């Protein structure tokens, strides 16, 4: 009970910090755009460290017996069974190129279960969050997935990257086949490139599905958003059709999965779109 009481207080504290984190990211992005114009693959920039440090410093000041696991840090800070996992700025490459599309994601896990997740979209002012078994919310209002199929709705994608091609050309071509099949069968398919934010669009019903095909997805990118989508009624699987939950993803952290690419594609979709995409996967992947 003590652990759950602390998690409740911790989650509320994180929600209270969210508006300030959002303002910091938005203001910093505007300043960075005036100076930097890099065209490279994903990079860590000072903003990542600033936001990660802000989250960690504020949380540890109030909750000294939790463990911080930030994507931009080599080590966990703090100690305890409660883990706060942070992706300070998802979309750093967008910032460096002057594109106003980033997110900040933070999740809380306890004994291998994701119990709270928050994703911030600074430029839209949307805050998505969810508590395990208590529903998903957008700026305080409960959200649910849509009932649309992919033929009448948006499907968000992260297409395979050049890194995946260099690491595994066969997997790269497999993901390309899946992406092509989705484009042929969906109303509109968008390659946005934010694994933390795209599942939230599924959760609120703005899109019917999200496909992570990049080969570079990390636990930081997806853990909070996965819980939000789950609590809104979405289902998930890998490209072999194996069901995935926020809990099964969280288990990867014990194997070092949070620090490296998960090496699995992921589908997160409302129930109708989930069934449709599974049929496409069976044809494309022959599983």
């Amino acid at each position: 009970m003590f652990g759950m009481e602390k998690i409740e207080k911790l989650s509320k504290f994180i929600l209270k910090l969210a508006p300030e984190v959002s303002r910091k990211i938005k203001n910093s992005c505007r300043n960075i755009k005036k100076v930097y114009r890099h065209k490279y693959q994903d990079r860590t920039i000072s903003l990542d460290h600033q936001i990660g440090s802000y989250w960690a410093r504020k949380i540890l000041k109030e909750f000294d017996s939790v463990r911080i696991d930030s994507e931009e840090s080599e080590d966990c800070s703090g100690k305890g069974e409660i883990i706060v996992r942070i992706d300070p700025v998802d979309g750093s490459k967008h910032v460096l190129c002057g594109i106003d599309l980033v997110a900040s994601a933070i999740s809380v896990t306890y004994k291998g279960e994701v119990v709270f997740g928050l994703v911030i979209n600074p430029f839209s002012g949307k805050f998505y969050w969810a508590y395990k078994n208590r529903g998903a919310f957008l700026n305080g209002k409960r959200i649910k997935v849509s009932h649309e199929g992919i033929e009448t709705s948006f499907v968000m994608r992260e297409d395979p990257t050049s890194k995946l091609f260099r690491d595994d050309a066969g997997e790269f071509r497999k993901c390309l086949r899946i992406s092509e099949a989705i484009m042929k069968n969906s109303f509109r398919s968008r390659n946005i490139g934010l694994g933390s934010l795209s599942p939230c669009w599924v959760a609120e019903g703005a899109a019917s599905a999200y496909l992570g095909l990049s080969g570079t997805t990390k636990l930081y990118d997806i853990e909070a958003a996965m819980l939000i989508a789950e609590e809104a009624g979405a289902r998930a699987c890998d490209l072999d059709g194996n069901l995935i939950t926020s809990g099964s993803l969280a288990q990867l952290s014990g194997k070092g999965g949070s620090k490296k690419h998960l090496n699995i594609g992921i589908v997160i979709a409302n129930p109708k779109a989930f069934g449709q995409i599974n049929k496409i996967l069976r044809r494309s992947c022959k599983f």
Side-chain angles (χ1 to χ4, degrees):
M1 179 61 70
F2 175 73
M4 294 311 297
E5 288 177 356
K6 178 180 284 189
I7 288 167
E8 182 78 15
K9 291 179 180 178
L10 173 61
S11 302
K12 289 180 178 178
F13 183 76
I14 289 170
L15 281 173
K16 284 180 66 176
L17 287 178
E20 180 60 23
V21 170
S22 182
R23 283 192 293 270
K24 283 180 176 292
I25 294 173
K26 190 173 181 179
N27 292 336
S28 296
C29 285
R30 286 172 175 161
N31 293 330
I32 289 170
K33 284 193 298 183
K34 296 175 183 177
V35 179
Y36 299 101
R37 286 286 172 176
H38 295 287
K39 301 293 184 182
Y40 306 122
Q41 189 61 282
D42 288 350
R43 296 165 57 99
T44 299
I45 60 177
S46 61
L47 179 59
D48 295 279
H49 294 294
Q50 289 169 14
I51 300 302
S53 176
Y54 181 82
W55 275 123
R57 188 172 65 253
K58 289 289 188 179
I59 291 169
L60 289 175
K61 184 178 179 181
E62 298 293 327
F63 303 88
D64 58 1
S65 59
V66 303
R67 207 149 50 99
I68 300 291
D69 181 11
S70 177
E71 183 176 15
E72 312 312 337
S73 172
E74 291 301 320
D75 305 300
C76 290
S77 304
K79 58 184 179 180
E81 289 184 293
I82 300 173
I83 301 173
V84 178
R85 188 166 288 114
I86 308 168
D87 185 353
V89 183
D90 185 17
S92 298
K93 187 170 186 287
H94 291 160
V95 175
L96 294 173
C97 294
I99 299 172
D100 293 340
L101 185 60
V102 298
S104 186
I106 185 165
S107 60
V108 177
T109 66
Y110 180 59
K111 295 184 177 179
E113 282 291 329
V114 187
V115 293
F116 175 78
L118 167 71
V119 176
I120 299 169
N121 184 342
F123 289 99
S124 71
K126 289 184 173 183
F127 302 157
Y128 303 87
W129 70 85
Y131 293 93
K132 183 71 175 178
N133 298 324
R134 289 165 57 183
F137 301 86
L138 167 57
N139 292 352
K141 295 184 178 180
R142 188 179 291 270
I143 53 176
K144 287 287 187 182
V145 297
S146 75
H147 300 290
E148 297 286 329
I150 64 173
E151 75 283 358
T152 57
S153 62
F154 283 114
V155 173
M156 316 310 291
R157 307 185 330 272
E158 282 190 90
D159 281 344
T161 62
S162 56
K163 183 183 186 309
L164 180 59
F165 178 74
R166 293 191 298 271
D167 292 346
D168 190 336
E171 189 70 15
F172 177 87
R173 294 187 181 94
K174 170 184 169 182
C175 289
L176 275 185
R177 289 198 306 273
I178 294 169
S179 187
E180 181 183 17
I182 293 296
M183 285 188 280
K184 287 178 179 177
N185 288 278
S186 63
F187 164 70
R188 290 286 188 277
S189 186
R190 295 287 185 261
N191 181 22
I192 300 296
L194 280 185
S196 61
L197 195 53
S198 294
C200 295
W201 289 328
V202 175
E204 68 169 306
S208 61
Y210 160 69
L211 278 81
L213 304 171
S214 68
T216 60
T217 301
K218 295 179 182 178
L219 195 56
Y220 303 98
D221 303 323
I222 203 74
E223 188 171 77
M226 181 74 177
L227 178 66
I228 293 166
E230 255 179 9
E231 289 294 317
R235 300 181 65 192
C237 69
D238 63 22
L239 300 187
D240 292 325
N242 302 307
L243 294 180
I244 297 174
T245 66
S246 57
S248 65
L249 281 179
Q251 299 303 318
L252 294 171
S253 63
K255 304 173 183 177
S258 64
K259 295 295 181 188
K260 61 186 180 181
H261 303 144
L262 299 181
N263 295 324
I264 55 170
I266 190 166
V267 176
I268 302 175
N270 70 42
K272 182 175 182 178
F274 185 82
Q276 293 173 319
I277 292 172
N278 261 272
K279 289 181 181 179
I280 292 171
L281 289 176
R282 284 195 289 273
R283 292 197 298 268
S284 300
C285 306
K286 296 181 173 58
F287 67 77

